[in-house]
Amino acid sequence: MTSLEQVLQKIEGIKVIAPSIPYSSYVALDLSIYNQELMNQNLSTATDFENYIENYLKENQAIIAYGGYNETRNLYKRSQVFNTSEEEERNIHIGLDLWTTANTPILAALDGKIHSFQFNNQLGDYGPTIILEHKVDNHHFYTLYGHLSLESIQKLSKGQIVKKGEQIAILGKSSVNGDYAPHLHFQIIKDIQNKEGDYPGVCSLSTQAFYLSNCPDPNLLLKINT
């Protein structure tokens, strides 16, 4: 049987954000622990982070910054969602982030239906989140859209049919999106593990292998600058 990863690679013409913006206006963004420039940046608040993203986009003459899959980050140290005394630190990002301005339209990646949605309102969490359910070539899987506006989840219903390219949401501001600069967290999930409206987007070192297998690189589908 063809793997989900192989199926995703064959699909063309997918966008999940701002359909009118060409990939030539995207720029890669490294937020990993290996980016020395971040050592000199004060990114302790959403305002600091938003200013950093805005300046980075201007410097690179870009509209959207992207990246972050399988990226080890220090961004999560401020949040108890990822750091508790009882559990191993979670700091490895397993989705793809698309950084731009609030209110940017968000699209369904593929035909499917609304599996679940939820306001994950802790500091550092997803904020408003939508999960879609898909079936393609005998593969049953899910796509997650995090850091949305509150309005995006107010009129949804489980099982609601969505079409590829249909606008399903807009990006939220830092006041609702977990206290981040505006961005979409986009993630592909094979086994949702009975979760509703939420699924880990950041994992620990000991669970990295499982989550990378269960959550393939979203750029297999999006094909940004490949």
Side-chain angles (χ1 to χ4, degrees):
M1 179 178 174
T2 305
S3 70
L4 176 59
E5 288 82 355
Q6 290 171 317
V7 170
L8 296 175
Q9 284 181 312
K10 291 179 181 178
I11 300 173
E12 300 288 342
I14 303 299
K15 278 195 173 180
V16 293
I17 191 169
S20 63
I21 298 175
Y23 281 162
S24 59
S25 293
Y26 284 47
V27 62
L29 175 63
D30 177 6
L31 295 176
S32 76
I33 58 175
Y34 306 107
N35 184 347
Q36 295 299 313
E37 180 188 340
L38 291 181
M39 302 290 185
N40 303 317
Q41 299 289 331
N42 177 16
L43 302 180
S44 57
T45 71
T47 300
D48 297 330
F49 210 148
E50 196 160 353
N51 289 336
Y52 175 77
I53 296 294
E54 287 178 357
N55 290 333
Y56 185 83
L57 290 172
K58 287 178 182 177
E59 289 170 4
N60 289 277
Q61 299 181 312
I63 301 174
I64 295 176
Y66 73 97
Y69 180 72
N70 194 24
E71 188 172 82
T72 304
R73 297 171 165 177
N74 284 326
L75 299 179
Y76 310 112
K77 291 186 180 298
R78 65 188 179 129
S79 172
Q80 291 186 346
V81 173
F82 309 103
N83 293 276
T84 67
S85 57
E86 294 81 23
E87 296 179 332
E88 181 184 3
E89 178 183 14
R90 293 194 291 134
N91 61 357
I92 303 169
H93 190 253
I94 49 176
L96 181 77
D97 283 337
L98 297 151
W99 303 85
T100 187
T101 55
N103 299 316
T104 298
I106 304 303
L107 316 178
L110 299 161
D111 292 349
K113 64 182 180 181
I114 293 177
H115 169 269
S116 53
F117 51 94
Q118 183 169 288
F119 183 22
N120 299 295
N121 62 351
Q122 296 185 74
L123 173 68
D125 212 332
Y126 286 132
T129 308
I130 297 173
I131 297 176
L132 302 183
E133 183 175 352
H134 311 279
K135 291 182 180 178
V136 179
D137 289 357
N138 296 316
H139 287 279
H140 187 193
F141 62 100
Y142 306 82
T143 53
L144 181 149
Y145 309 75
H147 309 295
L148 309 174
S149 71
L150 270 175
E151 294 78 9
S152 297
I153 63 171
Q154 287 177 347
K155 296 182 180 180
L156 300 180
S157 58
K158 290 186 178 182
Q160 181 179 331
I161 299 300
V162 296
K163 304 301 288 183
K164 171 187 171 182
E166 176 183 342
Q167 182 173 331
I168 57 170
I170 60 172
L171 279 190
K173 298 179 181 179
S174 61
S175 57
V176 299
N177 78 354
D179 197 50
Y180 292 102
H183 71 290
L184 174 68
H185 174 100
F186 177 62
Q187 188 167 333
I188 298 170
I189 305 162
K190 294 178 182 177
D191 179 3
I192 201 73
Q193 299 175 281
N194 296 318
K195 295 190 179 295
E196 295 271 333
D198 191 15
Y199 189 84
V202 180
C203 71
S204 63
L205 183 60
S206 66
T207 59
Q208 181 183 23
F210 167 77
Y211 280 108
L212 292 184
S213 174
N214 196 44
C215 300
D217 185 351
N219 210 30
L220 292 172
L221 181 61
L222 299 184
K223 301 170 181 65
I224 302 171
N225 294 343
T226 56

